[in-house]
Amino acid sequence: MKKDIILAGVGGQGILTIAAIIGSSAINKNLYLKQAEVHGMSQRGGDVQSNLRISDKPIYSDLITKGHADMIISVEPMESLRYLPFLKKDGYLITNTVPFKNIPNYPEDEEIYAAIDKLPNKIALDAEQIAKDLGNVRSSNVVVLGAATPFLGFAIEELEGGIKSLFGKKGDELVEMNIKALHAGYEFAKEKIK
Amino acid sequence: MQKLLFLGDEAIAQGAIDGGISGFYAYPGTPSTEIMEYAQKSKEVAQKGIQCKWSTNEKTAMESAIGMSYTGKRAMVQMKHVGMNVAADAFLNSAITGVNGGLIVVAADDPSMHSSQNEQDSRFYGDFALVPILEPSNQQEAYEMAKNGFEISEKFNVPVVLRITTRLAHSRAGVSLGDKKEQLKIKLPKDPRQFVLLPAIARRNYKKLLEMQTSIQQASNDSSYNKYIDGNNKKIGVVACGISFNYLMENFDGECPYPVVKVSQYPIPENHIQKLRQECESILVLEDGYPFVEKQLRGFFDEGIKIMGRLDGSLPRDGELNPNIVAKALDINIVEGVDIPEVVKMRPPSLCQGCGHRDVYNALNIALEDYEPGRVFADIGCYTLGALPPFNAINSCVDMGASITMAVGAADAGLVPAVAVIGDSTFTHSGMTGLLEAVIKNSPILVLISDNFTTGMTGGQDSAAKDRIVDICKGLGVDPKHLRTLVPLRKHHEENLAIIKEELAYKGLSVVVAQRECIQTVIRSRKKMGKNK
Ligand SMILES: Cc1ncc(C[n+]2csc(CCOP(=O)(O)OP(=O)(O)O)c2C)c(N)n1
Ligand code: SF4
């Protein structure tokens, strides 16, 4: 088992929560893991990414080779496209469709959606609306993670385990909320790839 | 054994703890900051009474660590690469004094300048000081080196440089921990004059340091961090330094067909390199930084074996390495994904919404409309983002503290009034001495201290300046009539503008302190309060 995942978003959007859930699920399964993060300057509203690598064999590089990523998981649509040179030909792009507009020349939404639509394998979902419907916008990240679940090589229960290890200390309510969000994203993706 | 998921920085902190450290010393700076932050959060550090408070700058950090080493206890200094410039005087001389308790200097370099003004390579500092350099290739090695570095330091009576780069500092991987060493007791140097660098003593110490070089070289040759790994294809021999070893192995799934020398301890292991030269037709040098090793292998006349690296264009001359760059140097063809679509726009970092620096620039820009543009000397911090649109407010950012002294120099040249914009943490880091200079000269400059009560850019660490700025300025002799404060909020815009205009018109030194807390630390402390309720 080996998965190379690029997580993308804007500084402050919290892509590291997604990384941490996948990470603790991987650790629970005794897999090897490397995760390169962006700290520092770009966290001030710039583009940020994290290279997350999981394998049952030792991993060398902290960085994913261009053309080798199994998937891109993004919490922002324009950011999802920034890392396409890394994506394998048959890799998946999973992204939230709600733009984060903090630059004056942000392109038209339609142009971005068209670029995403051109890709052979993609799941694009309005994670914020789905999270809102569940009663907590803040869990939209986990909705996106849910939508990536069919491609991650983890059973959904294993990711639930990751959520429990990560949020367990902060109370059952938060754990439940995030598990619901995970399932909502998962259902959406399953429907899409049917 | 259960592995712990550690950033490279965290592995270093835990390694130092397990190695019997008594004091962490640092000033924040990406990508080194998380070492101290880990220590500050560690229960073990608190229980063992290990010092872990921030220092005012890298020089004071370095000196405090030398002081702790003098007493016989183990200490570590952590800084970003440019911090080495600030600490350089103390650092280079600490190689001459030698150590008593083990002393590790962590220098975190930033190739590709993810968060820095340059990509200088700290291995040159280690070489300059004639001390061993450790460069981990992964998080596990980072842990081991931080732990064992103290003994290397004590054995050779020198500080040891632990050089990392951003990628290792900020990447997580599983680390298994080993046994724990006790802290050392106070035991002053046998020779009471070891640390007195009077010329006569310094000359004697320096000779000792030179004599030690043979042993330091031998330690590199024998080091378990350095390895000769044989391969069948002798067309190329690869020298892989630090983290670049991983990029090489990534391309071959761990089985490189070429002989490889993995370098993680310097001076360069002569034995392995000699062997590589004898066995191979050419040499490729991979290093995440300057061509430090490559230059040494080439020598001045460069008439020996063919050497490939950053100097002959086999690898780019600048920037961070990655698996693709290494693949290209080895003629490995990699099919990349599709290009980035044109709709994707750059998204540079920007000041947070609601940040006080915004209000400062909004007022300053208008106040300066009466003057020719090009007179604002800024400094390093979040407020440097005032260089970008929509503000386009500043004309310089060179090194910490340079705003005030550059304004002094420009005013000396006749650019009057000149303006300095500096943050609170930068001011106490190295702006105060410059301000004293401006006081003494009564330079016709306006120093605008944008005080957000924290070290914002690096993630909101406590600022040494907190609640002290105005008093410090008074103490340095700033005329109280021209030492003004304001609150940078939109509702105060008119009065702030008036204050800045008045002080710009004054033909001597004035200091305006804009005081409002960083939005990010406000949010964080609110969250904490909410939790405690
Ligand atoms: C010599 C040196 N040390 C550390 C840094 C890293 N650094 C850049 S900005 C900064 C903090 C600046 O804080 P402050 O001046 O208070 O401004 P703020 O970011 O809060 O606006 C630090 C520590 C650096 N660039 N150079
Ligand atoms: S972190 Fe603080 S100082 Fe920096 S831009 Fe945001 S609000 Fe301003």
Side-chain angles (χ1 to χ4, degrees), chain A residues 34-35 37 39 41 44 46-47 53 60-62 65-66 76 78-79 82 84-85 87 89 100 102 107, chain B residues 34 115 139 170-172 246-247 249-250 323-324 334-338 340 343 345 347 349-350 456:
Chain A
K34 277 205 173 184
Q35 184 199 332
E37 303 174 358
H39 297 202
M41 188 98 171
R44 306 269 153 274
D47 51 276
R53 313 192 63 198
Y60 287 97
S61 172
D62 299 87
T65 308
K66 273 189 195 157
E76 208 277 347
M78 184 176 84
E79 293 310 321
R82 200 181 294 281
L84 285 181
L87 192 62
K89 286 275 171 283
F100 185 91
N102 64 345
Chain B
E34 291 82 358
S115 299
Q139 292 75 357
H170 288 166
S171 173
R172 270 173 223 284
N246 302 338
Y247 301 142
M249 289 303 163
E250 181 72 27
N324 293 83
I334 288 182
V335 183
E336 297 189 0
V338 299
I340 306 174
V343 291
K345 299 289 180 283
R347 198 191 297 260
S350 55

Side-chain angles (χ1 to χ4, degrees), chain A residues 44, chain B residues 351-352 355 357 382 452 518-520:
Chain A
R44 306 269 153 274
Chain B
L351 291 169
C352 301
C355 172
H357 297 321
C382 285
N452 57 6
C518 158
I519 290 291
Q520 295 298 335

Side-chain angles (χ1 to χ4, degrees), chain B residues 376-380 384 387 393-398 402-403 406-407 419 421:
Chain B
V376 181
F377 302 91
D379 227 299
I380 307 192
T384 315
I394 64 172
N395 307 107
S396 78
C397 155
V398 180
S403 57
M406 279 181 73
V419 180
V421 179

Side-chain angles (χ1 to χ4, degrees), chain A residues 169-170, chain B residues 524-533:
Chain A
K169 271 191 218 146
K170 295 181 182 167
Chain B
R524 209 177 321 151
S525 44
R526 266 195 211 138
K527 267 193 197 153
K528 250 195 209 151
M529 293 224 308
K531 244 185 238 157
N532 294 341
K533 258 181 211 158

Side-chain angles (χ1 to χ4, degrees), chain A residues 8-193:
Chain A
V10 180
Q13 277 192 311
I15 58 167
L16 293 182
T17 312
I18 300 181
I21 295 172
I22 303 176
S24 51
S25 315
I27 292 286
N28 290 345
K29 244 181 133 175
N30 267 328
L31 294 170
Y32 290 94
L33 179 147
K34 277 205 173 184
Q35 184 199 332
E37 303 174 358
V38 171
H39 297 202
M41 188 98 171
S42 300
Q43 284 178 304
R44 306 269 153 274
D47 51 276
V48 292
Q49 43 73 25
S50 172
N51 282 205
L52 179 58
R53 313 192 63 198
I54 303 167
S55 173
D56 50 14
K57 292 200 210 65
I59 302 165
Y60 287 97
S61 172
D62 299 87
L63 292 174
I64 296 171
T65 308
K66 273 189 195 157
H68 284 210
D70 296 288
M71 74 194 80
I72 295 170
I73 304 177
S74 180
V75 296
E76 208 277 347
M78 184 176 84
E79 293 310 321
S80 76
L81 298 167
R82 200 181 294 281
Y83 307 97
L84 285 181
F86 286 87
L87 192 62
K88 267 186 192 156
K89 286 275 171 283
D90 57 351
Y92 253 92
L93 181 134
I94 301 102
T95 185
N96 179 20
T97 52
V98 184
F100 185 91
K101 301 186 179 179
N102 64 345
I103 48 170
N105 57 341
Y106 196 96
E108 292 298 322
D109 297 2
E110 300 316 318
E111 291 178 85
I112 291 175
Y113 298 149
I116 294 173
D117 214 41
K118 267 196 212 147
L119 302 167
N121 302 317
K122 71 267 167 177
I123 306 278
L125 72 172
D126 184 338
E128 278 179 26
Q129 192 55 49
I130 296 175
K132 235 184 251 164
D133 293 344
L134 293 172
N136 189 349
V137 199
R138 302 249 300 274
S139 59
S140 68
N141 282 356
V142 184
V143 174
V144 179
L145 171 61
T149 303
F151 321 106
L152 272 174
F154 287 103
I156 187 137
E157 296 76 25
E158 290 171 330
L159 290 168
E160 288 179 13
I163 290 177
K164 282 178 198 150
S165 339
L166 198 69
F167 296 113
K169 271 191 218 146
K170 295 181 182 167
D172 293 344
E173 209 179 314
L174 195 65
V175 171
E176 282 311 309
M177 187 67 244
N178 280 302
I179 289 181
K180 258 202 245 161
L182 184 77
H183 278 273
Y186 184 50
E187 292 306 322
F188 183 96
K190 272 204 306 198
E191 229 8 76
K192 278 277 155 191
I193 52 178

